[in-house]
Amino acid sequence: AQRVTQPEKLLSVFKGAPVELKCNYSYSGSPELFWYVQYSRQRLQLLLRHISRESIKGFTADLNKGETSFHLKKPFAQEEDSAMYYCALRGGAAGNKLTFGGGTRVLVKP
Amino acid sequence: GAVVSQHPSWVICKSGTSVKIECRSLDFQATTMFWYRQFPKQSLMLMATSNEGSKATYEQGVEKDKFLINHASLTLSTLTVTSAHPEDSSFYICSARGPRSSYEQYFGPGTRLTVT
């Protein structure tokens, strides 16, 4: 079965500090991995996906198949980054379904 | 951009009654929509995959007779919670697969259901 684990429920950092959200997955094939973000009182939206290898809002994430990880990083956190972040996996066994991690709440303090 | 709406945004109903939640793709056609449930401070749990013109595929442990899903058109899927009980109180979120890409899901704002 595929599974996504986000070990940290809450990350609190000061503005300007680096932030790293951990995501580990278990999947027997080649997964597609995503990070979704949910700002306060807003809907869930896609932040980035591993295939694109892009940086969105200063965030990057690298897929490490050896460690089965897809950690999300930003070198200098901003207050507007405060939100819930969900790591998600889509694999062949589950078709087009997304399996979400438990989520990490990021709080960026001034 | 691709926008997904849900109606109502919140609803309160009495135990034993049924309530219908609508999910619409406003500016694109969605052959596949997904229904999730989210408990407070928890992640999204997929309930079912809704395919236009065919029966929904339910996840293990989800009662299909209790959570009726209808995807009668390319822009509308409905979730009906039948004979609701207080334990059905939750945040229900739908998403639709995007118009051109096969990977992105666009999420609705969610519907908060409270069963008294």
Side-chain angles (χ1 to χ4, degrees):
Chain A
Q2 56 196 59
R3 182 179 296 174
V4 178
T5 304
Q6 293 178 248
E8 304 123 338
K9 289 193 179 296
L10 173 66
L11 274 180
S12 182
V13 300
F14 285 102
K15 177 183 173 182
V19 62
E20 180 179 28
L21 289 74
K22 290 186 170 48
C23 172
N24 289 93
Y25 66 90
S26 62
Y27 181 64
S28 57
S30 293
E32 292 182 79
L33 283 150
F34 307 85
W35 276 99
Y36 281 84
V37 61
Q38 188 172 29
Y39 299 103
S40 180
R41 301 185 187 284
Q42 293 189 28
R43 68 188 68 195
L44 204 64
Q45 58 185 286
L46 179 67
L47 180 62
L48 53 80
R49 62 175 188 143
H50 86 274
I51 291 178
S52 302
R53 302 184 67 81
E54 57 196 344
S55 173
I56 304 292
K57 299 184 179 182
F59 285 97
T60 59
D62 290 318
L63 177 61
N64 186 322
K65 291 188 177 180
E67 295 183 358
T68 60
S69 67
F70 188 55
H71 303 329
L72 182 69
K73 302 176 186 178
K74 183 168 183 177
F76 307 104
Q78 302 300 311
E79 288 182 71
E80 55 265 30
D81 296 327
S82 296
M84 276 295 293
Y85 292 81
Y86 294 96
C87 182
L89 176 154
R90 188 172 76 174
N96 295 298
K97 299 183 293 187
L98 287 172
T99 299
F100 285 89
T104 297
R105 179 169 297 281
V106 171
L107 177 62
V108 181
K109 297 177 287 188
Chain B
V3 179
V4 174
S5 71
Q6 282 184 241
H7 178 81
S9 55
W10 59 271
V11 58
I12 301 173
C13 70
K14 292 187 176 180
S15 250
T17 62
S18 296
V19 61
K20 180 185 287 187
I21 302 170
E22 294 184 347
C23 177
R24 292 181 187 272
S25 55
L26 296 186
D27 48 2
F28 66 102
Q29 295 182 332
T31 55
T32 303
M33 291 182 173
F34 303 88
W35 285 97
Y36 297 86
R37 185 171 179 177
Q38 186 177 32
F39 290 104
K41 300 187 185 300
Q42 295 189 29
S43 187
L44 286 78
M45 298 297 296
L46 180 66
M47 299 174 67
T49 301
S50 169
N51 297 297
E52 186 269 336
S54 64
K55 291 183 178 180
T57 304
Y58 290 81
E59 295 300 298
Q60 193 172 14
V62 178
E63 299 176 61
K64 57 185 176 183
D65 293 332
K66 181 167 186 62
F67 298 99
L68 300 178
I69 291 172
N70 187 302
H71 194 156
S73 80
L74 287 171
T75 59
L76 173 64
S77 176
T78 61
L79 168 69
T80 301
V81 183
T82 62
S83 187
H85 290 282
E87 56 265 29
D88 298 325
S89 298
S90 189
F91 198 54
Y92 293 88
I93 302 171
C94 75
S95 71
R97 195 184 320 160
R100 288 171 295 279
S101 66
S102 64
Y103 70 86
E104 185 159 2
Q105 289 187 25
Y106 295 88
F107 286 81
T111 296
R112 182 161 303 286
L113 169 64
T114 301
V115 184
T116 60

